[in-house]
Amino acid sequence: MIIEALIAVTFLAALVTFVLPDRYAGKAAFALSLVPVLGSLVMWQQYDASGNALLGGNIAFETDVVWLQLGQYDLHWMVGVDGISLPLVVLTTILTTLAIVSSWTPIAERQSQFYGLMLLMEANLLGVFTALDFFVWFVFWEAVLVPMYFLIGVWGGPRRKYAAIKFFVYTNIASLVMFIGFISLVFGLGDSISSLRLPEIAQALQAGQLSGFAGLSASALASVAFVAMFLGFAVKVPVVPFHTWLPDAHVEAPTPASVMLAGVLLKMGTYALLRFNFTMLPETARSFALPIALVAVASVIYGALLALAQQDLKRIVAYSSVSSMGYVILGLIAYTTYGVGGATFQMVAHGLISGLMFMAVGVIYNTTHTRMVTDMSGMADKMPVTAGIFVAGAFGYMGLPLMAGFAAEFFIFKGAFESTVMAAMPLFTGVAMFGIVIVAGYLLFAMQRTLFGPFQFDGDYEITEAPFHDVAPLAVLLLLTIVLGVSPDIFFTMIQDAVNPILELGGAF
């Protein structure tokens, strides 16, 4: 019961941190967060499952017991991981620990509450990536919103209340739309299922047991449910045009919360799209290939152009996340081994690189108290280590070979070009590749203006290199990005093994 232990220990760590005095909270939260890191690495080292958890594959570290009864449905405590979810579990634990360390400088008030909320959010995220019963999964899914709402609303910037409310309203309404879509599938399956376990529902759908509901035929019901779930998850990703909550949330959130938001919370949306839409309803997904590809390419290009127009470093990185998530959607709809596998790998790669970039911006802000590109230049002379890591992270974002971002984008482009889901897929892929050029444009512009040239700073603060505890998380993330880029099979082999059953259902082979 290692998953239960992992979640329980993280919840317990949050409770302990809440009651500690502020002067001990930061160090204690860091020490306690190392336990889930160790647990996730043990899971990775001992992982021996195969196939997809929803489609009859072997589920690693599985627990399945009846919990409650809701009408005709048994509610199960069912948790487990496969090659799709385990990399995200590892990402969550590592990024949380590094985000906690990055909090030591900027978080000076209500520290025990802040660190307690960070650990509480981690526990719920672990639940999202391991739960295999819809009821349990949905509880964790909604519970993640609460800590992030308070992290933004209490420790955020001048417009923190507006950003927190906007974040909560957007994502909560999206969850309602998604919930309606999924429950319509459950009602359409009728007596063919006896629980809300995701494997049971997915296999019933693949067996053709979906019947009409509310006056809709089976195929129409599948289409309506697919669209509802896609819209709900698209807000969380987010994709264009549902992205407007993201820049406000990132800009106002404290740096550690931005790291978790970009690094892990956005991946909840793409993970759910893969688990629900593209696994449960593959033929319906293929029928919507054209609009989904349009959304993916629009997100890539429009997100990159928005980033190009920004002067705030944090907004630049925030909009670049919209662009990066567009590549994930493109890989998913490709329905090839490299496309879907690359999209899943991109979730992990982007989690590391975006976390690195937000931390680097935060370190610069801790020293300069500004994020505006026009307020500083030549910072590399005063902060050479931070600047060097920022540059390396930026090149990773651009897809520099031997870094995780390059491997992820290569897999996605290879899979998308090979896709037979529609004739125009190579055209959409070629247009999306142009996004890399725009990414290079806005990142090189930001680096040139802030890090290089003659030193200039319009402020009253002395500019010196950041302390070790600020730079160390950056160095760790950069190292992990390189390691994953040099050896992508650390995760990609298990990812491919888990996505191949989806492709067989989708007719990709």
Side-chain angles (χ1 to χ4, degrees):
M1 300 180 68
I2 188 170
I3 293 176
E4 288 85 345
L6 200 66
I7 296 173
V9 165
T10 312
F11 270 122
L12 182 61
L15 293 176
V16 170
T17 306
F18 273 125
V19 300
L20 287 175
D22 276 2
R23 63 180 180 274
Y24 301 125
K27 305 300 188 297
F30 166 68
L32 292 169
S33 71
L34 292 175
V35 178
V37 172
L38 179 61
S40 68
L41 293 177
V42 169
M43 290 172 63
W44 171 75
Q45 194 274 330
Q46 294 183 355
Y47 179 80
D48 62 352
S50 61
N52 188 285
L54 269 59
L55 301 176
N58 296 324
I59 303 173
F61 314 110
E62 178 186 7
T63 301
D64 184 7
V65 294
V66 177
W67 180 21
L68 299 170
Q69 189 164 13
L70 184 64
Q72 72 180 72
Y73 303 109
D74 292 328
L75 304 183
H76 289 238
W77 172 264
M78 184 179 185
V79 293
V81 294
D82 61 6
I84 293 172
S85 53
L86 181 56
L88 294 170
V89 169
V90 177
L91 172 69
T92 300
T93 59
I94 292 175
L95 208 56
T96 301
T97 295
L98 297 176
I100 286 172
V101 176
S102 74
S103 309
W104 290 353
T105 295
I107 305 302
E109 298 178 349
R110 300 183 177 182
Q111 294 180 35
S112 60
Q113 297 170 35
F114 179 89
Y115 294 112
L117 287 170
M118 289 285 287
L119 290 168
L120 179 61
M121 183 167 58
E122 178 187 14
N124 288 311
L125 286 167
L126 293 173
V128 168
F129 295 132
T130 58
L132 292 173
D133 179 276
F134 178 77
F135 181 81
V136 176
W137 176 87
F138 190 72
V139 169
F140 283 125
W141 174 273
E142 289 294 280
V144 169
L145 303 181
V146 178
M148 182 56 73
Y149 170 81
F150 285 108
L151 289 170
I152 298 173
V154 176
W155 290 272
R159 300 176 71 242
R160 58 186 179 272
K161 292 182 180 178
Y162 167 79
I165 292 173
K166 189 174 182 180
F167 160 77
F168 194 86
V169 169
Y170 266 66
T171 53
N172 214 26
I173 292 175
S175 294
L176 175 62
V177 174
M178 174 273 296
F179 183 85
I180 293 172
F182 183 82
I183 291 300
S184 67
L185 285 179
V186 173
F187 290 157
L189 288 169
D191 295 333
S192 63
I193 58 172
S194 60
S195 73
L196 297 181
R197 289 176 295 179
L198 300 183
E200 182 179 350
I201 292 171
Q203 291 167 45
L205 288 169
Q206 299 313 315
Q209 295 176 340
L210 183 67
S211 58
F213 175 71
L216 297 173
S217 66
S219 60
L221 177 60
S223 296
V224 170
F226 182 93
V227 170
M229 291 191 295
F230 186 91
L231 292 175
F233 296 138
V235 173
K236 183 76 77 173
V237 173
V239 297
V240 174
F242 308 113
H243 65 286
T244 56
W245 64 268
L246 183 66
D248 291 319
H250 270 310
V251 169
E252 299 304 323
T255 296
S258 288
V259 170
M260 295 302 295
L261 179 59
V264 186
L265 265 71
L266 302 190
K267 312 309 177 291
M268 290 169 57
T270 50
Y271 170 79
L273 279 172
L274 177 54
R275 280 292 197 216
F276 289 82
N277 292 68
F278 292 92
T279 299
M280 294 185 178
L281 300 169
E283 291 301 331
T284 308
R286 291 169 69 87
S287 70
F288 283 103
L290 178 58
I292 292 174
L294 284 171
V295 167
V297 174
S299 299
V300 169
I301 301 300
Y302 188 61
L305 289 174
L306 287 173
L308 187 62
Q310 305 305 310
Q311 298 292 323
D312 184 318
L313 287 173
K314 215 174 187 186
R315 279 189 177 272
I316 291 174
V317 181
Y319 279 118
S320 69
S321 291
V322 177
S323 182
S324 296
M325 291 297 98
Y327 287 124
V328 175
I329 304 299
L330 184 68
L332 290 177
I333 195 54
Y335 264 111
T336 58
T337 301
Y338 279 97
V340 181
T344 309
F345 190 84
Q346 169 76 334
M347 297 181 205
V348 181
H350 179 264
L352 296 174
I353 299 173
S354 64
L356 169 59
M357 294 299 289
F358 273 111
M359 277 190 194
V361 171
V363 170
I364 293 173
Y365 179 79
N366 293 341
T367 301
T368 64
H369 297 270
T370 182
R371 296 187 302 264
M372 302 306 294
V373 172
T374 55
D375 289 346
M376 51 186 160
S377 65
M379 300 302 293
D381 290 339
K382 303 292 185 178
M383 306 176 69
V385 177
T386 301
I389 296 176
F390 185 97
V391 170
F395 277 108
Y397 233 128
M398 296 178 211
L400 185 72
L402 300 183
M403 300 188 80
F406 171 81
E409 291 173 0
F410 174 80
F411 294 150
I412 290 172
F413 293 147
K414 175 179 171 58
F417 274 121
E418 294 176 347
S419 175
T420 59
V421 73
M422 62 177 175
M425 199 64 184
L427 175 62
F428 282 106
T429 307
V431 174
M433 291 181 72
F434 185 71
I436 298 176
V437 178
I438 307 175
V439 169
Y442 63 70
L443 288 177
L444 290 172
F445 164 78
M447 289 189 297
Q448 182 63 36
R449 290 294 303 272
T450 59
L451 301 180
F452 304 113
F455 175 74
Q456 180 182 350
F457 173 59
D458 299 331
D460 300 327
Y461 302 96
E462 181 182 359
I463 307 301
T464 59
E465 183 57 82
F468 175 78
H469 63 259
D470 281 354
V471 176
L474 299 178
V476 172
L477 282 175
L478 179 59
L479 177 63
L480 292 175
T481 301
I482 295 172
V483 169
L484 203 58
V486 172
S487 183
D489 278 349
I490 290 173
F491 287 139
F492 194 62
T493 299
M494 67 172 65
I495 289 172
Q496 284 182 303
D497 183 63
V499 302
N500 281 338
I502 303 173
L503 308 181
E504 293 171 355
L505 294 173
F509 288 165

